Amino acid sequence: MFDIPPVSHASDKDIQRKIDTKTKPPSALGLLELLAMQIARVLGKDNPIIVKPQMLVFAADHGVSQEGISIASNEVTQQMVMNFISGGAAINVFCHQVGFALEVIDCGILSPLASWPSLVQQRLGEGTQPFHRTKAMSIETVFKGFELASQRVEFHYQQGCNLIAFGEMGIGNTASSSAIMASVLKMTAKECVGRGTGIDDEKFARKIQIVEQGLALHKKDLTDIYHVLACVGGFEIVQMTGAILAAAQRKMLVVVDGFIATVAALSAIQINENARDYMIFAHQSHEQGHKRLLDHLGAKPLLNLDMRLGEGSGAALALPLIQAASNFYNQMASLTDLGIKID
């Protein structure tokens, strides 16, 4: 379905030499040097610049949100989407500050909103079914979500974008993400479930129970990632997964936000492992399963600010660091420029 080439390492020596001969001690820029290497591999070693960075925020509702596992009701999903499109959320502030264009995608919130220039309708339904009682969605819906997400990424690719970031909004989506993580990594619900928006002990225990019930109910059907997404996934997680794969197929840099986005990245890697080469992990979420997930993926996030907001907020804040890595690689003087002989 997604033909993603592995990133070539043929120019690694040239890229590393260019990094090492900048006017600095070897490895003095730390993770920025590793990031510059990745950017040059993906975008080309000669002049890899970030063009038209785009943030996509996918929003959807979840059937399990009715089970008392969050501090907010699922009406908040719609209210926050309205906040996004009117410019009042953290993601709006951060995107404006750092230079991300922002687009919000309705993947299936309970009540659709009226037409708005920055809101794209890619609805797969009016929220998923409660996954501890039945499948969250059909397998056909998963593939439809992939198709819609791919079309949206293709649109931005055709506009010249070569870096795309993903955020999400959906009350209950940390429960769905925890269930996906537990299924794929063969972990327990207790190892994956976190407190999301900051739930108390009673809600936390209920959330673990809901995930355990869902995993037990669908145990025989969790045979591959497509069925995992159908059984316990969310509309926004499905579309993020498809968007990540589509972006990697187009050799774009993919900026992965927090826990939910990283679960989508994990799902994408299950479909095509080459997608991993294109991913930049923005930050480590406060959500307890996120560090385990990042460790599994061998990912070193650029930031650790104890955040748990979602929305793509961490991905937005990481953009200046990504640009800094590209800019030092392209613009910083070399020892040769200064007439210093290099052995």
Side-chain angles (χ1 to χ4, degrees):
M1 177 182 293
F2 293 95
D3 183 16
I4 301 172
V7 167
S8 174
H9 293 262
S11 299
D12 278 7
K13 288 184 178 179
D14 292 338
I15 296 169
Q16 191 62 57
R17 180 173 175 80
K18 184 170 182 177
I19 292 170
D20 288 344
T21 56
K22 296 295 185 181
T23 50
K24 60 172 182 61
S27 303
L29 289 177
L31 287 180
L32 287 182
E33 297 192 17
L34 297 178
L35 184 54
M37 170 66 80
Q38 182 183 9
I39 292 169
R41 282 174 180 161
V42 174
L43 302 184
K45 67 182 179 67
D46 293 332
N47 188 34
I49 59 173
I50 308 303
V51 180
K52 295 186 176 180
Q54 178 70 48
M55 174 70 71
L56 301 183
V57 177
F58 296 86
D61 274 304
H62 292 252
V64 293
S65 64
Q66 304 282 359
E67 298 296 323
I69 59 172
S70 175
I71 63 170
S73 64
N74 45 23
E75 287 81 8
V76 173
T77 303
Q78 185 196 62
Q79 291 166 358
M80 283 305 300
V81 169
M82 292 176 65
N83 196 24
F84 296 155
I85 61 179
S86 62
I91 189 59
N92 301 97
V93 174
F94 296 159
C95 282
H96 178 73
Q97 175 182 324
V98 304
F100 257 127
L102 174 62
E103 184 174 271
V104 184
I105 299 173
D106 177 1
C107 306
I109 62 176
L110 277 173
S111 301
L113 294 169
S115 177
W116 197 271
S118 61
L119 180 66
V120 176
Q121 299 285 359
Q122 294 188 171
R123 293 175 58 79
L124 298 174
E126 295 179 354
T128 58
Q129 297 300 309
F131 67 71
H132 65 305
R133 295 177 183 165
T134 187
K135 290 183 179 180
M137 69 191 81
S138 69
I139 195 74
E140 291 79 15
T141 301
V142 172
F143 289 114
K144 181 181 177 182
F146 286 176
E147 180 182 357
L148 290 172
S150 297
Q151 291 171 1
R152 204 65 213 151
V153 169
E154 182 64 20
F155 170 81
H156 291 292
Y157 173 78
Q158 293 298 334
Q159 304 304 306
C161 170
N162 67 2
L163 179 146
I164 194 161
F166 302 108
E168 43 61 42
M169 177 61 212
I171 300 301
N173 62 10
T174 56
S176 181
S177 297
S178 299
I180 296 168
M181 176 183 170
S183 177
V184 173
L185 300 188
K186 310 303 179 188
M187 299 174 71
T188 66
K190 289 182 180 179
E191 291 175 299
C192 302
V193 173
R195 292 184 182 265
T197 49
I199 53 178
D200 60 24
D201 290 345
E202 182 179 352
K203 284 183 168 59
F204 183 49
R206 177 61 175 155
K207 186 175 179 181
I208 292 172
Q209 182 185 43
I210 290 290
V211 172
E212 288 175 338
Q213 288 178 358
L215 294 171
L217 176 66
H218 303 296
K219 185 176 181 180
K220 293 182 179 179
D221 295 319
L222 302 175
T223 54
D224 57 37
I225 190 59
Y226 305 107
H227 287 88
V228 170
L229 290 169
C231 288
V232 299
F235 293 152
E236 80 279 40
I237 299 170
V238 164
Q239 292 205 32
M240 271 197 293
T241 300
I244 289 168
L245 290 162
Q249 182 171 263
R250 280 301 196 178
K251 300 182 180 180
M252 302 165 77
L253 290 166
V254 174
V255 185
V256 181
D257 188 48
F259 179 57
I260 295 101
T262 306
V263 167
L266 173 70
S267 301
I269 292 166
Q270 301 307 299
I271 295 170
N272 192 317
E273 63 182 9
N274 292 334
R276 174 66 180 85
D277 293 346
Y278 299 85
M279 298 176 185
I280 298 170
F281 292 85
H283 75 112
Q284 182 178 312
S285 168
H286 187 67
E287 189 73 2
Q288 70 114 3
H290 196 207
K291 185 180 187 305
R292 289 189 174 103
L293 189 50
L294 291 168
D295 289 344
H296 171 79
L297 295 174
K300 290 185 177 181
L302 297 176
L303 299 167
N304 187 346
L305 301 175
D306 209 23
M307 292 171 59
R308 52 181 173 83
L309 179 61
E311 304 180 7
S313 51
L317 292 172
L319 180 61
L321 295 177
I322 298 167
Q323 292 169 323
S326 170
N327 290 340
F328 99 73
Y329 180 89
N330 291 323
Q331 301 171 18
M332 188 175 176
S334 70
L335 298 174
T336 303
D337 294 334
L338 299 183
I340 301 173
K341 185 177 180 181
I342 306 169
D343 293 329

